[in-house]
Amino acid sequence: MRLLVCGGAGFIGSNFVRVRVRDHGDDVVVLDKLTYAGRRENLEDVEHEFVHGAIEDPRAVTEAIRGADAVVNFAAETHVDRSIAEPDAFVRTHALGTYVLLESARAARVRLLQVSTDEVYGSIAEGSFTERSPLQPSSPYSATKAGADLLVSSYCETFGLETLICRGSNNYGPYQYPEKLIPLMILNALHGDPLPVYGDGLNVRNWLYVEDFARGIGHVLEHGAPGEVYNVGGPDESTNIEVVRRIIELTGADESLIEYVTDRPGHDRRYSLGSEKVRALGWEPEVRFAEGIERTVDWYRERRDWWEPIRSGEYRAFYERQYGRALS
Ligand SMILES: NC(=O)c1ccc[n+]([C@@H]2O[C@H](COP(=O)([O-])OP(=O)(O)OC[C@H]3O[C@@H](n4cnc5c(N)ncnc54)[C@H](O)[C@@H]3O)[C@@H](O)[C@H]2O)c1
């Protein structure tokens, strides 16, 4: 299959491209704007074509979609904290970008899979969200992602475009930009920097190893029914502080590095996805959190060449603004 993968130079997109080329022999064209989170290095071991451009640019999309059998859209602004500080790029990419992609997919008559998030449902105290749960996003990030999901579904209803939506839970694994909880804690622990934990650390997340999500997206692309939404949740739930304590054990850092900091405004307490629908389609997560977190810590230990340029670049300034202190 020939795939156009938008946002394929980011964390999940690059893992998806690796899985599709390695395990399925797909031809892949990556279209990516290369924001701070997108890096050509993430794909240097994978054969692919690369188009440098934005999904909101109709010319770039028209060029990149030529000959594709399907489009998979990962392109997004993905950090909730940045969406609170500077929401405009989130609106542009998620609203306008998704619209341009939908129009191009419609003109080219190809299937489009939108990669979405459990955050569109908001927080849930008990039980799990199904695909029929109402959308109640809390942040500019999740609200603009929810808007994109609705627009995608409307193109199936109105124009008969074959659309699919995969809503994933919190991903972790290799190639994740260190602003996110797990790589942030691993790199700070390895450097002996404080480990900033929001609020009381009891926010609960449903952790999904990135290769499991990548396989799930491919599975839905091949077997999903047009117009349908599929939740793709991880096998384990954990509080943030449990995750941080496990990282401390695996890196040999000191517990005294934990520092509780002022909570994020509108911070969702708990996410939980019911994934029966995608399981019925034949997908299962393969990596439990206990194993995935060990693999992830090992990867960051070994790939100093990957994260050192990030930790000494734009990320330093972001970290200082966000946490009011410098990295070591
Ligand atoms: N990380 C998670 O835990 C998680 C969980 C569920 C769903 N998701 C969703 O998965 C997708 C990918 O997330 P990620 O964590 O890999 O993000 P990421 O921030 O690592 O990567 C995003 C990629 O999109 C590119 N991009 C951004 N704006 C673009 C634009 N306008 N045009 C073209 N390219 C653009 C960036 O350069 C980057 O390569 C997102 O849609 C996100 O909402 C993420």
Side-chain angles (χ1 to χ4, degrees):
M1 187 154 47
R2 184 171 167 87
L3 297 178
L4 170 59
V5 180
C6 303
F11 163 50
I12 307 175
S14 63
N15 278 285
F16 175 78
V17 172
R18 192 168 290 101
V19 165
R20 292 306 304 187
V21 172
R22 183 188 65 200
D23 300 344
H24 300 268
D26 285 342
D27 284 335
V28 173
V29 178
V30 169
L31 172 70
D32 199 295
K33 191 175 179 176
L34 298 179
T35 66
Y36 72 93
R39 302 178 77 208
R40 294 298 310 271
E41 296 90 317
N42 294 358
L43 290 166
E44 67 191 0
D45 60 331
V46 197
E47 202 176 307
H48 66 285
E49 285 172 41
F50 187 80
V51 179
H52 185 195
I55 57 167
E56 62 271 24
D57 174 359
R59 265 201 273 173
V61 176
T62 304
E63 178 198 330
I65 208 169
R66 207 164 287 136
D69 299 307
V71 178
V72 183
N73 182 30
F74 294 89
E77 293 289 337
T78 58
H79 194 39
V80 176
D81 291 337
R82 293 187 196 246
S83 84
I84 295 166
E86 295 174 80
D88 47 317
F90 291 73
V91 177
R92 192 171 323 112
T93 293
H94 303 169
L96 184 59
T98 306
Y99 158 71
V100 170
L101 272 188
L102 285 164
E103 279 297 322
S104 301
R106 189 181 154 210
R109 297 171 190 276
V110 294
R111 181 174 271 224
L112 181 141
L113 187 150
Q114 175 76 354
V115 180
S116 186
T117 164
D118 56 0
E119 301 198 24
V120 298
Y121 298 117
S123 197
I124 188 166
E126 281 170 20
S128 299
F129 289 117
T130 72
E131 292 80 358
R132 293 187 169 275
S133 300
L135 303 187
Q136 289 186 307
S138 315
S139 70
Y141 163 67
S142 50
T144 50
K145 289 293 293 181
D149 284 10
L150 297 177
L151 192 62
V152 167
S153 298
S154 80
Y155 268 63
C156 183
E157 290 291 330
T158 308
F159 302 114
L161 181 68
E162 288 199 6
T163 64
L164 295 152
I165 297 175
C166 278
R167 296 191 179 130
S169 60
N170 271 56
N171 275 230
Y172 68 104
Y175 300 97
Q176 189 168 29
Y177 196 81
E179 64 192 358
K180 305 286 167 48
L181 180 78
I182 286 184
L184 182 150
M185 295 299 167
I186 295 173
L187 295 188
N188 281 19
L190 292 174
H191 285 83
D193 280 332
L195 306 175
V197 175
Y198 279 138
D200 58 9
L202 296 180
N203 302 69
V204 176
R205 299 293 181 259
N206 188 190
W207 293 100
L208 175 62
Y209 192 66
V210 64
E211 283 199 9
D212 276 338
F213 192 31
R215 284 190 308 98
I217 292 165
H219 197 80
V220 168
L221 182 68
E222 287 177 8
H223 304 288
E228 294 294 318
V229 176
Y230 296 88
N231 288 345
V232 183
D236 298 291
E237 284 190 12
S238 230
T239 61
N240 287 351
I241 193 67
E242 284 167 344
V243 171
V244 172
R245 291 227 155 85
R246 185 69 191 124
I247 290 171
I248 287 176
E249 280 168 15
L250 291 168
T251 53
D254 202 291
E255 283 250 352
S256 65
L257 290 177
I258 295 176
E259 200 175 273
Y260 290 94
V261 299
T262 310
D263 209 352
R264 164 192 286 165
H267 201 178
D268 287 329
R269 194 64 170 170
R270 176 171 174 265
Y271 298 130
S272 182
L273 281 183
S275 308
E276 287 72 19
K277 191 167 162 185
V278 70
R279 283 172 186 258
L281 213 57
W283 171 88
E284 289 277 348
E286 287 175 2
V287 181
R288 300 296 303 263
F289 188 71
E291 183 194 340
I293 191 68
E294 284 192 27
R295 280 199 210 172
T296 306
V297 170
D298 287 348
W299 189 87
Y300 281 91
R301 267 189 204 286
E302 284 161 21
R303 291 301 307 272
R304 182 172 274 271
D305 65 301
W306 183 85
W307 54 256
E308 214 154 45
I310 298 177
R311 219 173 181 263
S312 56
E314 183 270 355
Y315 176 64
R316 288 191 89 75
F318 160 77
Y319 191 91
E320 254 180 80
R321 279 198 309 277
Q322 191 62 33
Y323 297 105
R325 62 157 73 218
L327 287 166
S328 66

